[in-house]
Amino acid sequence: MYQRPGEVTVEDLDFPKLELAEQNGRKLEHGVILKVLATNICGSDQHMVRGRTTAPAGLTLGHEITGEVIETGRDVEFIKKGDLVSVPFNIACGRCRNCKERHTGVCENVNRDRPGAAYGYVDMGGWHGGQARYAVVPYADFNLLKFPADRDTVMAKLEDLAMLSDIFPTGYHGAYTAGVTTGSTVYVAGAGPVGLACATACHVLGAAVVIVGDMNEGRLGQAREFGCETIDLSRHDDVAEQIEQILGVGEVDAAVDCVGFEARGHGPKGSAGEQPATVLNTLMDITRAAGGLGIPGLYVTGDPGAEDENAKVGQLGLRIGLGWAKSLYFVTGQCPVMSYNRQLMMSILYDKVQIARNVNAAVIPLDQAPEGYAEFDKGAARKYILDPHGVVAAAA
């Protein structure tokens, strides 16, 4: 649970019920209760823990959930007790216009304040998070992805399958919407778990060259482990020049922002301070005319920890004139996980990709979550999987 900036604790809560306490106990007959098998720490969680959002104290964290169904509501027809499932981090009703058009990241019925909801996240509907031993999932028939393989196969690949709830689809979404395809040259900004997942997705999509930029040498080393070129942004402020040394030209076909609103300036002089528009402006500079920018990196409308008044409300100094002049296109917002998770699940089950290896997954018990948050905040080149019941460690 998030308590205050810099502090995460592990607390005992009551066993969950299929009801909405904030709505006078309204029953969730369309929901299920999961035994959580794996639940990951995400960079988006870290934004809250750093105090960079308006998250309330006592918020149960966690939107990356993989589990086993142990109880079903009266109206659940197709998901059964004992099913092993992945939970998209988007909460979606399956009934509204956006859901029917597969824009599940902006469902109109699961958040009273604005379209879109997620588990355990600030301003995203007030739903309990899944960094817990048990979790509730509403609209289960629509939301849940059931693993079709036998239990032994699922357990053997549980670390990989745990990435389907968010970072693998999110990284894929960034690459796909930027137009990455066979033979593409791509620049991925950020070598955190989402950036590494995006780089993996670029390879899956057939990119010829994937270049990853970051200031963390450990994370850049992880990108090189699976065939990426890298740029150390703590040493170089001219990204186009570095790309030209790799490709012979100073531009790429497509670029993806996997950093978001806590971006820092590039180069020895700039890397110490936040410059939230740096990544977006750099991508506009180094992407070829008529190219695409995928922006799965998180940007917020409220950032109390920002260094200037504009950034506190998500207002950044973008060189939009440059983007317009080059006829670039931009795709932003939450990844609609359901658009990609089944296909990516199949690529995992049939050994076409090893996403857990590429993001350097590290399994830790739930009671070590505070330590995991602290290490991640220091820049650990790992993707932490919390293991509430010891299932992931046992399978490994």
Side-chain angles (χ1 to χ4, degrees):
M1 299 178 75
Y2 170 74
Q3 300 297 351
R4 60 186 58 85
E7 184 179 352
V8 173
T9 61
V10 180
E11 307 288 344
D12 286 324
L13 301 179
D14 292 336
F15 191 83
K17 299 178 181 179
L18 289 173
E19 63 183 37
L20 290 173
E22 68 274 16
Q23 295 184 21
N24 299 316
R26 182 168 68 87
K27 299 298 184 183
L28 279 178
E29 299 292 2
H30 47 67
V32 301
I33 297 176
L34 298 182
K35 175 184 177 181
V36 177
L37 303 182
T39 177
N40 312 332
I41 296 175
C42 180
S44 299
D45 299 322
Q46 200 73 61
H47 291 308
M48 290 188 289
V49 174
R50 290 187 187 123
R52 298 302 297 268
T53 70
T54 55
L59 174 68
T60 303
L61 298 165
H63 54 268
E64 301 189 19
I65 309 167
T66 307
E68 178 181 0
V69 178
I70 60 172
E71 184 178 335
T72 63
R74 180 195 63 197
D75 297 336
V76 178
E77 294 186 72
F78 307 112
I79 294 293
K80 305 299 182 185
K81 187 176 178 179
D83 285 347
L84 303 179
V85 296
S86 178
V87 185
F89 78 87
N90 323 109
I91 301 175
C93 71
R95 296 155 167 80
C96 69
R97 175 181 176 177
N98 284 342
C99 283
K100 289 179 179 179
E101 294 177 356
R102 268 302 191 262
H103 300 305
T104 52
V106 282
C107 173
E108 298 170 342
N109 292 328
V110 288
N111 186 345
R112 291 182 172 184
D113 297 323
R114 59 186 175 91
Y119 304 91
Y121 208 84
V122 59
D123 297 331
M124 296 299 284
W127 299 87
H128 268 287
Q131 289 175 9
R133 292 170 63 83
Y134 301 94
V136 171
V137 175
Y139 304 104
D141 281 326
F142 183 70
N143 282 305
L144 292 177
L145 173 66
K146 178 183 174 181
F147 298 135
D150 63 89
R151 189 180 185 90
D152 289 344
T153 298
V154 171
M155 290 301 168
K157 298 180 180 295
L158 192 54
E159 291 183 33
D160 293 289
L161 294 169
M163 305 303 161
L164 291 173
S165 55
D166 183 354
I167 68 163
F168 199 11
T170 292
Y172 189 96
H173 177 64
Y176 181 80
T177 56
V180 177
T181 187
T182 305
S184 295
T185 57
V186 192
Y187 177 70
V188 177
V194 170
L196 295 174
C198 179
T200 300
C202 290
H203 288 304
V204 171
L205 288 163
V209 183
V210 182
I211 305 168
V212 179
D214 202 288
M215 300 176 184
N216 183 319
E217 177 53 36
R219 291 177 171 181
L220 291 173
Q222 187 63 31
R224 289 192 290 271
E225 286 288 324
F226 59 95
C228 300
E229 302 285 345
T230 61
I231 298 173
D232 186 343
L233 300 174
S234 69
R235 299 171 56 196
H236 305 287
D237 57 6
D238 191 332
V239 177
E241 181 182 275
Q242 297 304 305
I243 289 174
E244 184 172 6
Q245 291 186 18
I246 297 169
L247 298 177
V249 294
E251 62 181 17
V252 292
D253 298 322
V256 188
D257 174 6
C258 295
V259 178
F261 72 102
E262 288 192 67
R264 308 184 78 82
H266 297 160
K269 294 182 180 179
S271 58
E274 283 194 14
Q275 297 178 24
T278 296
V279 171
L280 293 172
N281 286 332
T282 298
L283 297 195
M284 286 190 279
D285 181 48
I286 57 90
T287 303
R288 71 173 181 86
L293 275 61
I295 311 174
L298 176 66
Y299 289 87
V300 295
T301 56
D303 176 10
E307 295 183 1
D308 64 70
E309 293 304 311
N310 284 330
K312 286 182 179 180
V313 293
Q315 186 169 310
L316 310 181
L318 295 182
R319 295 185 63 197
I320 194 66
L322 175 62
W324 188 93
K326 295 178 72 173
S327 293
L328 301 175
Y329 69 86
F330 305 71
V331 179
T332 68
Q334 283 189 46
C335 165
V337 171
M338 205 176 294
S339 295
Y340 310 106
N341 62 352
R342 182 173 297 279
Q343 302 95 302
L344 296 176
M345 174 189 70
M346 296 301 287
S347 72
I348 290 170
L349 292 176
Y350 288 92
D351 299 318
K352 298 300 182 184
V353 66
Q354 288 78 44
I355 183 64
R357 179 198 67 187
N358 289 3
V359 302
N360 198 22
V363 179
I364 60 175
L366 182 65
D367 61 9
Q368 291 181 17
E371 291 84 353
Y373 271 97
E375 290 300 313
F376 190 41
D377 193 43
K378 294 176 184 176
R382 292 179 173 179
K383 173 66 173 179
Y384 286 100
I385 300 176
L386 302 180
D387 188 7
H389 297 275
V391 172
V392 186

